[in-house]
Amino acid sequence: MTEPQKRPLPVRPRRHTDGIPMNDLFRSAPARPALNLPKPVGRTDDGPTPSVAPPHRPPPPADPDLTERPGPAVPGWVAVLTGLTALTGAAAALWRARPLRTVELPPWQWAALAGCVVVAVVSFGGLTRGRTGSAWVLSLFGRYRGSVRRTGLVWISPFVLRRRIDVRLRHWRSEPIAVVDAEGAALRVVVLVVWSVRDTARALLAVDDHLGYLREQVEAATARVLSQLPADAFRGDAPTLRDAEAVGDALTRMLAAECRPVGIAVFSAQPTRIEYAPEVAAAMRRRQIAVLDAKHRDSVLTGVIDAVDDTVTRLTTRGLVELDDFERQALVKDLTVAFCTRSGGPAEPNHQE
């Protein structure tokens, strides 16, 4: 029997630009679903990192009738002068009526003496000291009568209820707040808030405890803002919570709107530490390491593919070799394995002939 004549393999014509048949090298990974992130607003794609845009929700309404206004107060030297004048008049009346045991005063003199004593008591009893960075909130029978921001010696009516409130610029650092990001990962966040009392009437009378209100709003606003984005971008270059400036701006705007009805002005609310909760920290750390390793492998593989493509293209375009499809695939695989082994890249692909 004669052996069947082997048909020669077709020679692929040379071209100036030959690509690498990547489908023969590696299988394409299945497409991963895109992360459903909120669309950033306020910045373009060519600018800085987009800011966080939490859902809009109107803040609580403020009482239009309850607003700070100047309270009744006079300088302290006026009250001291008035009290001394009243005491001088009372002493003069007693001097003219001596000795008291033998001479009886007429009723009008007794009335004048009593009036001088009352004026002196009221004048000296209303004296108080106004401090820099604090204010007095006045109320009478449950009604707001005004606020006094004077410093130094000042006179305020002793018949009104006085409550002191701090109006200085203050800062408060929260305890670690438990929140979750857009992917449901548990986080621990510490927030630094810079604030001050802008309206003393609303701060004391519109809410039971303005300090407690601020703490609760910080926790609620932090949970709302940080739930809009993931803590880390494991699926591409998406905006994350690592952009402290964008997260701080969104948190400041939301917290300022929530605290304005109670007379609190929030100037800055900045997360100073964002970390994973202890129960998920180890898993997230492994995931971060895996992502970094995948990025490194991808960069190495891209360089290898470029080198292989350049080598095959030069060999074919210069006419040094003429390869058919099978020979080209074998050459590409051998060059890829050689370059990857030299560069310490991904593992050697399986040869399937």
Side-chain angles (χ1 to χ4, degrees):
M1 294 179 64
T2 59
E3 295 182 358
Q5 185 178 4
K6 295 184 180 180
R7 188 172 52 185
L9 296 176
V11 179
R12 188 174 181 177
R14 293 178 296 175
R15 292 183 303 178
H16 293 287
T17 56
D18 292 334
I20 299 177
M22 297 305 300
N23 294 332
D24 298 331
L25 280 176
F26 308 103
R27 295 182 180 178
S28 58
R32 304 178 67 179
L35 186 61
N36 187 16
L37 294 175
K39 184 178 180 180
V41 296
R43 300 186 185 180
T44 60
D45 296 338
D46 298 333
T49 305
S51 59
V52 185
H56 175 69
R57 185 169 60 190
D63 187 0
D65 298 330
L66 185 60
T67 181
E68 181 179 340
R69 60 178 182 271
V74 297
W77 64 269
V78 176
V80 172
L81 183 60
T82 302
L84 292 177
T85 302
L87 290 179
T88 302
L94 293 176
W95 179 266
R96 295 181 58 183
R98 60 187 180 90
L100 296 177
R101 296 183 179 180
T102 59
V103 180
E104 294 182 0
L105 295 178
W108 65 270
Q109 290 187 358
W110 281 109
L113 181 62
C116 291
V117 173
V118 171
V119 170
V121 171
V122 172
S123 298
F124 290 110
L127 290 176
T128 185
R129 182 181 61 178
R131 301 176 182 175
T132 302
S134 65
W136 290 105
V137 178
L138 311 180
S139 60
L140 181 62
F141 302 114
R143 293 188 59 185
Y144 173 65
R145 291 300 181 181
S147 301
V148 179
R149 290 179 178 258
R150 292 175 177 267
T151 58
L153 190 63
V154 65
W155 180 88
I156 302 175
S157 174
F159 302 104
V160 298
L161 178 62
R162 295 176 288 185
R163 285 186 287 180
R164 190 185 293 273
I165 183 173
D166 194 345
V167 295
R168 295 174 297 179
L169 186 66
R170 306 169 65 182
H171 69 277
W172 174 70
R173 184 185 298 271
S174 70
E175 297 294 330
I177 302 174
V179 298
V180 294
D181 64 356
E183 294 184 344
L187 304 175
R188 294 294 184 270
V189 185
V190 177
V191 182
L192 178 64
V193 184
V194 180
W195 63 282
S196 68
V197 174
R198 180 68 58 83
D199 193 309
T200 57
R202 292 180 178 178
L204 278 184
L205 304 178
V207 67
D208 184 31
D209 181 13
H210 63 281
L211 294 178
Y213 181 87
L214 175 63
R215 296 189 184 97
E216 296 296 334
Q217 289 299 328
V218 168
E219 183 175 356
T222 303
R224 288 181 59 190
V225 171
L226 269 68
S227 64
Q228 304 304 312
L229 293 176
D232 292 291
F234 296 108
R235 302 180 182 180
D237 296 333
T240 65
L241 298 178
R242 301 304 176 184
D243 188 354
E245 182 179 358
V247 175
D249 291 343
L251 186 59
T252 301
R253 291 193 301 268
M254 178 179 295
L255 194 59
E258 295 291 339
C259 295
R260 192 176 297 112
V262 298
I264 296 178
V266 178
F267 302 100
S268 173
Q270 190 72 21
T272 59
R273 187 171 73 248
I274 300 178
E275 58 186 13
Y276 290 103
E279 57 270 17
V280 300
M284 289 301 174
R285 192 176 298 109
R286 289 193 299 268
R287 188 178 181 184
Q288 290 176 346
I289 295 175
V291 170
L292 293 177
D293 183 68
K295 289 182 179 180
H296 173 70
R297 287 173 173 268
D298 182 71
S299 63
V300 172
L301 183 59
T302 301
V304 169
I305 292 175
D306 292 339
V308 172
D309 189 13
D310 182 68
T311 302
V312 175
T313 302
R314 290 186 178 185
L315 290 175
T316 55
T317 55
R318 295 182 180 182
L320 299 179
V321 293
E322 292 186 1
L323 305 173
D324 56 15
D325 293 341
F326 179 79
E327 292 174 342
R328 180 182 296 274
Q329 294 177 10
L331 178 60
V332 166
K333 290 183 179 180
D334 293 339
L335 289 177
T336 303
V337 172
F339 288 155
C340 288
T341 304
R342 181 177 179 182
S343 60
E348 179 180 351
N350 294 329
H351 290 272
Q352 302 204 3
E353 299 181 358

